[in-house]
Amino acid sequence: MSRRRLAALVAGAIAAAGSLAWSGWPPLSDYLPILICYEVIGMSFLVAGIAAWMRWPASRLGLLFTIVGYLYLVPYILVNLANPVAFTIGNLSEGLYGAALAHLGLAWPTGRLRSRFERGVIIAEYVTGVGFGLAGMMFWNPAFIGCNASCPANVLLIGAGSRSAWNAANTISGSVELVLTGIVLALIVRHWRSARGWSRQAMVPLVWIGVAIGAEQILTGNLLLLPLSGLVSFGLAPLVLLAGPALFVISTVRARTAGGALGAAIVDLEPGAAPGRLRDALARALGDSTLQLAFRQPDGMGYLDTAGQVVEVARLDPGRAVMPVTGSDEAVLVYDEGLKLEPQLIRLTAAAASMALEHTRLQAEVQAQLEQVRASRERIVEAGDAERRRLERDLHDGAQQRLVTLSLALAMARDQAASADPALGSLIESASKEAREALTELRELARGIHPAVLTETGLTGAIQALVERSPVATTVIAVPDGRFPTAIEATAYFVVSEALANVAKHAMASGAEVTIRKRPGRLVVEVSDDGAGGARTEKGSGLRGLADRVASAGGVLRVDSPPGSGTRLEADIPCP
Amino acid sequence: MQPSAAILIVDDHDGFRTFARSMLEAAGFTVAEATTGAEATDAARTIRPGLVLLDIQLPDFDGFEVARRLAAAPDPAPVVVLTSTREARDYGARIAASPAAGFLPKDELSGAALRRFLARDAP
């Protein structure tokens, strides 16, 4: 809203309130509460008008609130002016605000009437308001209410007036007004029933006010059903009238926090939440239960929302509107058209959705990259293992085989030479010894590259062989029978092998224990000793390498090694 | 000494078979050769050797499988001695679990060593 319009509205409201107070001052003793009532109610509509203009600039609600406010206040100012023409106009127009109120209710929340019928009803409201006002004034003599010399003259009065004609005009006008009010209320209820999402929510206060006004109409003079009319007219009616603008102003203040609610909704959303959860959070923050978050299908087959429903973005249902999610032509928000009154809120929602979707996308990307790195690490380790197995086998089939044959040949040569030439015999014997030592060293080398026993027998035999070679007394508590995938066996083997090597080198232990247990979905390898403790994965590069090796198989290595209390090393490896 | 005992050498490594054959013949044995597990079971049926020197690593079946098949053959089953360029501990409990009479590292092969197996398994 422009500053000039705001200034004009504020100045008008102040002027109207001031005029009313000035015209009615000094009030008669019992007139003061009524004067205050008129001030408060009239001003509340004018303030609500300003609020509506600021909140929904595209809607005519602001104008309608303002019209109701002036139609409510001005007649009373005119009546108090001690001028016959003003007095007459004031009296005949004092019920016109009711027509404007009906207009406001039917036009909620866009400020526009929805059909020709509704326009007809509202025109009838204004015309009958003015018409019956004029008719009544022709017969109403201020003396009827005991106002003889103190009241200005009624310039429309015919002769001395007629009390019975005035009463008849009032009765007819009351009945017509009751019918029109009934139609307006029925139409409002129909609007409310057909509204969905945000629009329906925006109509809730209106429906309550409509019910209250209907009740007020029935209870006050119009039907004279109950002898309460005095109390109701001067107690309940002002409260009902006040409720409308008050609820609107309150809901406006609350709507200002909707932007904050959006932020909170995004913050509360856990990372990587499904788009359905995002839609729910946005719908809650926006107050539009019909909100749809739809994604373009990769095959160009249109859009699907988070519930799997097809959304015809090009041909939306009536009452629906669409907004692309910022920075993406893949996703759109489809929402209740009433929300067009809140363009800023919709833009904020689209931006929030965009941020959340981008966050999820980036997270999925990082997750995928991590998975790729994990898989490639696993492949690298497996390729390394396979290469070591191949090397060991090559040594066994090649160099070891030749050394064995050489040893046999030397043994035969030694046997044949020994009797004929003892010196040659002893020379061949020492050559034979060298060949056997070379063979032993080669076997150790091959075993270090990859233990044949692991390939041949699996963990049971391989762990037993490790334990037998360990210089520290080591007990095997448990090793599961059967074979496991090669990579898992190799990882478990290297954990035990490295752990026992560490026990021998650093732990100063007198004993160690090895336990391997199969648990559902995993293999748990545990090596503990009674040595000095104080081992850390960060410190020893051996343990660091082992942790990497276990991690490459998707597992975790835990080291519990308090100084002075031994070391417990546990590898938890995923295993089908 | 029982020179009549025939030895079947099962190994796919030509060099080893050549030296083993001359060593064992020099020690007074009759020697036959096979290069695969399948050949070994056929030869055992036809030649009926007293002892089979069986390499664990063969191109078709491994030595443990061949030993199992030989043990299931009709009487009298030959004495089976597993052999390898590797050491016994590289095969863990598999050697003890096999029906073979024992294991002899290839570099420790001699006529005397085989006779010890024959004597141990003699009825």
Side-chain angles (χ1 to χ4, degrees):
Chain A
M1 184 168 59
S2 71
R3 279 180 161 207
R4 282 174 67 177
R5 178 178 287 173
L6 178 64
L9 287 171
V10 171
I14 290 170
S19 304
L20 182 64
W22 168 76
S23 69
W25 206 265
L28 299 171
S29 60
D30 58 348
Y31 192 65
L32 183 63
I34 297 174
L35 180 69
I36 292 171
C37 262
Y38 277 108
E39 284 278 14
V40 170
I41 292 170
M43 287 302 286
S44 71
F45 276 97
L46 293 180
V47 169
I50 293 172
W53 243 310
M54 291 171 89
R55 178 176 169 188
W56 296 334
S59 162
R60 284 187 184 165
L61 279 196
L63 179 65
L64 289 173
F65 266 116
T66 308
I67 289 173
V68 174
Y70 284 118
L71 282 180
Y72 190 80
L73 284 175
V74 168
Y76 290 92
I77 298 170
L78 294 177
V79 166
N80 287 336
L81 280 183
N83 173 302
V85 176
F87 179 76
T88 308
I89 296 175
N91 268 305
L92 84 84
S93 63
E94 73 178 354
L96 263 185
Y97 77 90
L101 209 52
H103 189 172
L104 176 66
L106 266 196
W108 194 282
T110 61
R112 284 170 204 282
L113 295 168
R114 292 163 172 78
S115 68
R116 289 180 69 168
F117 176 71
E118 291 186 0
R119 276 191 287 278
V121 170
I122 293 307
I123 289 169
E125 283 267 7
Y126 284 111
V127 168
T128 54
V130 174
F132 283 115
L134 279 170
M137 287 308 280
M138 288 191 277
F139 306 108
W140 180 71
N141 189 329
F144 294 166
I145 56 165
C147 188
N148 292 315
S150 57
C151 285
N154 173 0
V155 297
L156 290 174
L157 186 65
I158 301 167
S162 158
R163 191 184 282 272
S164 57
W166 177 61
N167 278 341
N170 270 353
T171 307
I172 297 169
S173 107
S175 309
V176 171
E177 202 178 296
L178 191 66
V179 171
L180 287 173
T181 305
I183 293 173
V184 168
L185 290 180
L187 286 169
I188 288 175
V189 169
R190 205 172 78 167
H191 291 170
W192 175 69
R193 288 175 61 106
S194 65
R196 293 281 173 270
W198 183 87
S199 291
R200 190 181 180 103
Q201 194 166 315
M203 288 192 71
V204 169
L206 178 72
V207 168
W208 281 113
I209 294 160
V211 168
I213 287 177
E216 190 250 2
Q217 288 271 316
I218 291 166
L219 293 174
T220 52
N222 290 331
L223 277 187
L224 299 175
L225 287 179
L226 293 166
L228 295 170
S229 56
L231 169 73
V232 170
S233 303
F234 292 104
L236 192 58
L239 280 181
V240 169
L241 279 178
L242 195 56
L247 276 175
F248 183 78
V249 171
I250 290 168
S251 81
T252 302
V253 172
R254 287 185 57 185
R256 291 203 154 258
T257 63
L262 272 176
I266 299 300
V267 170
D268 287 347
L269 208 64
E270 65 265 38
R277 302 281 304 277
L278 171 63
R279 186 225 79 103
D280 294 347
L282 292 176
R284 265 196 308 278
L286 204 54
D288 181 7
S289 60
T290 66
L291 182 75
Q292 289 167 292
L293 176 59
F295 296 91
R296 191 208 299 274
Q297 295 309 294
D299 48 5
M301 297 297 283
Y303 286 78
L304 279 188
D305 73 4
T306 48
Q309 299 292 312
V310 175
V311 179
E312 297 276 0
V313 171
R315 277 176 293 130
L316 289 173
D317 292 338
R320 310 290 294 159
V322 64
M323 165 76 103
V325 168
T326 323
S328 149
D329 53 352
E330 298 300 316
V332 294
L333 286 173
V334 177
Y335 55 94
D336 182 79
E337 199 177 30
L339 267 170
K340 277 189 169 168
L341 291 174
E342 306 266 17
Q344 185 62 22
L345 197 54
I346 277 292
R347 274 198 294 277
L348 264 175
T349 308
S354 154
M355 261 160 48
L357 289 175
E358 181 68 5
H359 184 198
T360 306
R361 192 184 64 75
L362 284 176
Q363 198 159 40
E365 218 166 75
V366 167
Q367 211 60 43
Q369 280 171 356
L370 265 180
E371 179 53 32
Q372 277 174 11
V373 168
R374 200 199 60 72
S376 82
R377 180 165 69 167
E378 194 180 317
R379 282 197 302 276
I380 288 168
V381 169
E382 276 175 16
D385 280 352
E387 185 61 13
R388 291 162 80 117
R389 271 198 305 279
R390 192 187 63 77
L391 264 175
E392 190 274 340
R393 182 169 285 250
D394 283 356
L395 281 177
H396 167 256
D397 291 346
Q400 261 173 267
Q401 200 75 250
R402 286 179 196 287
L403 270 177
V404 163
T405 318
L406 178 64
S407 291
L408 287 183
L410 286 171
M412 284 167 63
R414 177 201 57 203
D415 290 350
Q416 286 172 19
S419 50
D421 186 343
L424 181 61
S426 92
L427 187 63
I428 297 175
E429 169 59 28
S430 56
S432 171
K433 199 172 150 233
E434 285 292 314
R436 278 201 303 276
E437 274 171 18
L439 186 61
T440 307
E441 282 173 18
L442 193 60
R443 277 174 178 151
E444 279 308 313
L445 176 67
R447 193 175 287 124
I449 290 170
H450 188 86
V453 65
L454 184 63
T455 321
E456 293 294 330
T457 72
L459 281 176
T460 335
I463 299 298
Q464 195 55 47
L466 272 180
V467 165
E468 281 165 12
R469 281 209 302 278
S470 170
V472 177
T474 304
T475 317
V476 178
I477 305 290
V479 177
D481 287 331
R483 301 299 302 256
F484 301 99
T486 320
I488 293 170
E489 283 186 344
T491 305
Y493 175 87
F494 283 117
V495 168
V496 177
S497 156
E498 179 70 28
L500 289 181
N502 279 344
V503 170
K505 264 190 273 178
H506 310 297
M508 293 175 283
S510 63
E513 287 181 349
V514 176
T515 314
I516 303 181
R517 287 188 204 281
K518 178 77 183 79
R519 303 256 183 250
R522 57 212 181 92
L523 195 67
V524 182
V525 181
E526 194 189 316
V527 181
S528 55
D529 68 60
D530 59 0
R536 287 209 310 270
T537 37
E538 310 88 69
K539 210 169 87 181
S541 68
L543 276 182
R544 180 70 262 171
L546 201 56
D548 287 347
R549 165 97 213 197
V550 172
S552 82
V556 192
L557 183 74
R558 282 183 280 270
V559 179
D560 183 21
S561 186
S565 305
T567 298
R568 187 176 157 280
L569 199 132
E570 186 192 270
D572 197 331
I573 308 161
C575 175
Chain B
M1 192 158 152
Q2 295 172 296
S4 60
I7 307 273
L8 175 63
I9 301 173
V10 187
D11 200 300
D12 61 329
H13 195 262
D14 300 341
F16 176 77
R17 282 200 317 278
T18 310
F19 280 102
R21 172 186 273 269
S22 34
M23 176 187 266
L24 294 177
E25 280 177 349
F29 290 104
T30 312
V31 175
E33 293 177 27
T35 57
T36 65
E39 271 181 43
T41 46
D42 288 348
R45 250 197 314 277
T46 52
I47 302 166
R48 297 193 163 263
L51 185 143
V52 178
L53 183 65
L54 179 58
D55 189 19
I56 291 177
Q57 212 121 37
L58 291 172
D60 48 359
F61 318 117
D62 74 7
F64 299 107
E65 173 61 20
V66 177
R68 202 183 57 73
R69 292 181 185 206
L70 289 178
D75 283 339
V79 175
V80 175
V81 175
L82 292 164
T83 188
S84 174
T85 57
R86 295 196 185 113
E87 288 171 294
R89 61 179 176 173
D90 285 334
Y91 295 101
R94 292 188 80 186
I95 290 171
S98 119
F103 178 85
L104 184 67
K106 280 185 183 174
D107 57 317
E108 288 173 24
L109 177 66
S110 67
L114 292 190
R115 273 203 186 86
R116 278 197 293 279
F117 279 107
L118 281 168
R120 209 174 64 193
D121 273 65

